[in-house]
Structures are given as structure tokens and as C-alpha cells.
Amino acid sequence: MADTTLTKTSAARRFDFGDFVRQYGVLIIIAVMLVALTLLSPSFLTPRNLFNILNQSTPLFIIACALTLVIIGGGFDLSTGAIFGVASVSAAYLAVNVDPLVAIIAAPLIGLLLGSINGIIITAFNVHSFLVTLATSLVYRGMAILITNGKLIPVRVEEFAWLGRAKLDLVNVAVLVMLAFMVLMMFILNRTTLGRAIFAVGGNEEAALLSGIRTNLVKIITFALSGGAAGLAGVITVSRLSMGEPQAGTGYEFEAIAAVILGGTSIMGGAGAIWRSMAGVLLMALIGNGFNILNVNPFFKDLTTGVIIVLAVALAATGNKR
């Protein structure tokens, strides 16, 4: 009997390579890509290129951080790209006509407001978030066009450009802002009552409601944070490019969702982590940067990203069946 118990204990402790790959597959792929790109291009593994990757991907990092909370909570947000556009042109207009500091502060607040509207509509009318955010994305994109009358807004204001262009040594201020935002989202998700409630709502909303969690409020907060992140990403981009554009952010929602899924966060809700989404964004950024420095046809970049996402989803599905 003792030998049988010992055998079972040893089996339980035995290293499960398949589970390890499912849990950390995205990190393994990142490691392989780092090695491959380093061997293929001497200009890849340089501080300048690596910090450039982080800087270029900062808006997507920020959006994916907050979107992770939405997806873990069982929601879906297709309006982040449109909110990005509204916040971008609003920040550009305010920077030129009012005050640069007001523009920087207003953009995330505008995003927070628009995200809250998403959450309120979803919870008040009990409509799936996919449909609501798809509809509001059209409305918000129209708002961005109305604000600018379909034109670009040049922003040649030095007091505004520091957010997107200023550096501390090799590190852009925008990257530091992104890291601070990431830490904040990780703290909320992993160290607060709200974070536990988000996991509970995404895992089983009915059980969460019966346990006393205000599920509607949790949903509204996650969509508000997603909108605020899109607004922050928008003002950083305008500051860097010195241009407000109503079509800015088009497609960002799909890139962010792809990064979150690629990182291993469950699309069904109830499971996931911020670091996973950050790894997903980094992997997509490495694919883009690698194909650029190797002068490969952009078509193969999208093809490669799509194949990797399908493989990641397949691995996750296999893990769920087990």
C-alpha cells in the first residue's frame, strides 16, 4: 500500500512537459525568436533597436493591459481603436487651442468616460459586449471625424511633445509611463478585491452574483479602464507624431485582442494574467521588427502572426479539454 502511495506521489510530481508548453509557450517562442533574429541580423540585438521596439509598441502594450481585465471578466471590447481615435484628436485640439497639460490629462479621462458608457449600456440592457462595443466603435469613430471635420490636426507644441518624444538616457518617457500603467493593472488584478471579483465574474457570473459581488459594477469598471487605457495610448501617439488623425487607432482593437489571446488569457473569461498579454504584445512586436530588419514581404508577417495565434489557441483548447 505504501509503495502504491509513493508511486502516485511521484507521478503527481513528475514534470509535465505538455502542460509546461501550454503555460509558457509564448515565452518559449519569444526566446526562440530572440535567438533566431540575433543570428540573422547583427542590428537586432542592440540597445537602440530593443528600446525602439518597446517605444513603438507602447500604445498597444497599454491597451492590451486593460483589455486583459475586460476579457478575464468575460467581456469583449471592440471599441478601443475608436476611443483611441477620439482621444487622439481631442488631445490634439486641446493642445493647440487650450493648453498642452490639459490635453494630456483630458485624453485618458475622455477614454474613461467613453469606456464607462460601454459598460453602462452592456449592463443596463443586458446586451453582449461584442455587439455593444461593435456599435459604439462606429459611433466613436464618427465623433472623431466630427471633431476634426475629417482633417488632420498638426500639433507643433513643444510642451506637448515631451510625453511621446522625451527620453531618459535611452528610455523614452512613454515607455516608463507604460511600465507604470502595467504595474498598476497588475496590482489591481492580483492584489485587490476588484481583481478577485473580475476573475469571479468571468469564471461564473451567476455564482459571483449569488456570492454578493456587484457584477454590473465590476463590468463597468473594466470597460472604463479599457477606455482610459485607449485614451492614454492615444495621447502618447499624438505627442510622438505631432499629429491628430480621426482614423488613428484603426485596427488596434484586433491587435490588442490577438496579443491577449496569444499570451494565453482565456477568451472565455475567468483566467489570465497581465504578463501573458505583455508577452503576446512583445511577440507580435518581435515578429514585426524582425520582418522589417530582414526586409521580408509584410504579407508573411501577417501570415506568421496568424499561424502563431491559431497554434496558441489550439494549445489552450487542448489544455482545457484535459
Side-chain angles (χ1 to χ4, degrees):
M1 184 63 125
D3 290 341
T4 304
T5 304
L6 182 61
T7 301
K8 289 182 178 178
T9 304
S10 299
R13 290 178 178 176
R14 191 178 301 157
F15 178 73
D16 188 335
F17 180 74
D19 184 62
F20 177 81
V21 171
R22 277 186 290 275
Q23 291 292 324
Y24 302 104
V26 64
L27 297 182
I28 296 171
I29 296 173
I30 288 173
V32 170
M33 285 204 64
L34 286 172
V35 173
L37 290 173
T38 300
L39 295 174
L40 291 171
S41 173
S43 62
F44 172 74
L45 199 62
T46 60
R48 181 176 180 180
N49 185 56
L50 295 178
F51 281 117
N52 181 59
I53 292 173
L54 286 178
N55 187 45
Q56 294 294 327
S57 303
T58 288
L60 190 58
F61 272 117
I62 291 172
I63 293 173
C65 266
L67 187 61
T68 304
L69 273 62
V70 172
I71 293 178
I72 290 175
F76 222 71
D77 193 350
L78 293 177
S79 67
T80 51
I83 293 176
F84 180 102
V86 175
S88 295
V89 296
S90 298
Y93 178 85
L94 291 171
V96 172
N97 297 287
V98 182
D99 183 83
L101 182 59
V102 171
I104 292 172
I105 295 172
L109 294 179
I110 290 170
L112 199 69
L113 174 62
L114 298 180
S116 299
I117 291 173
N118 284 340
I120 291 169
I121 295 173
I122 290 164
T123 54
F125 297 99
N126 196 28
V127 183
H128 197 281
S129 57
F130 182 94
L131 297 175
V132 171
T133 56
L134 177 61
T136 56
S137 68
L138 300 176
V139 175
Y140 296 158
R141 187 64 69 184
M143 289 172 56
I145 294 172
L146 286 174
I147 292 171
T148 63
N149 198 25
K151 300 177 181 178
L152 303 178
I153 303 178
V155 188
R156 298 183 179 89
V157 182
E158 189 175 338
E159 294 81 4
F160 182 73
W162 66 268
L163 181 61
R165 296 187 180 185
K167 290 185 177 183
L168 295 176
D169 200 7
L170 289 175
V171 185
N172 287 70
V173 170
V175 173
L176 298 177
V177 172
M178 176 270 289
L179 292 174
F181 186 80
M182 180 188 71
V183 170
L184 175 61
M185 292 297 103
M186 292 180 70
F187 176 80
I188 290 174
L189 187 61
N190 300 320
R191 302 292 181 182
T192 67
T193 303
L194 173 61
R196 291 189 290 273
I198 291 172
F199 279 108
V201 172
N204 189 323
E205 184 176 349
E206 185 176 347
L209 186 61
L210 292 174
S211 66
I213 295 174
R214 299 172 66 183
T215 57
N216 285 349
L217 180 59
V218 171
K219 290 181 182 179
I220 292 171
I221 292 174
T222 59
F223 279 95
L225 290 173
S226 180
L232 177 60
V235 71
I236 287 174
T237 302
V238 173
S239 176
R240 185 173 66 206
L241 300 179
S242 299
M243 184 73 67
E245 181 184 355
Q247 295 298 329
T250 300
Y252 262 20
E253 62 273 22
F254 299 113
E255 290 186 41
I257 291 169
V260 174
I261 297 171
L262 187 56
T265 292
S266 173
I267 195 107
M268 303 303 294
I274 299 293
W275 74 263
R276 291 186 174 279
S277 298
M278 298 300 95
V281 175
L282 180 59
L283 178 54
M284 292 176 66
L286 288 176
I287 293 171
N289 182 260
F291 276 69
N292 286 337
I293 63 177
L294 295 176
N295 294 317
V296 179
N297 190 323
F299 165 77
F300 292 104
K301 169 196 166 186
D302 295 334
L303 178 63
T304 304
T305 304
V307 169
I308 291 175
I309 291 172
V310 170
L311 291 175
V313 172
L315 281 172
T318 303
N320 290 335
K321 286 180 182 178
R322 289 184 62 187

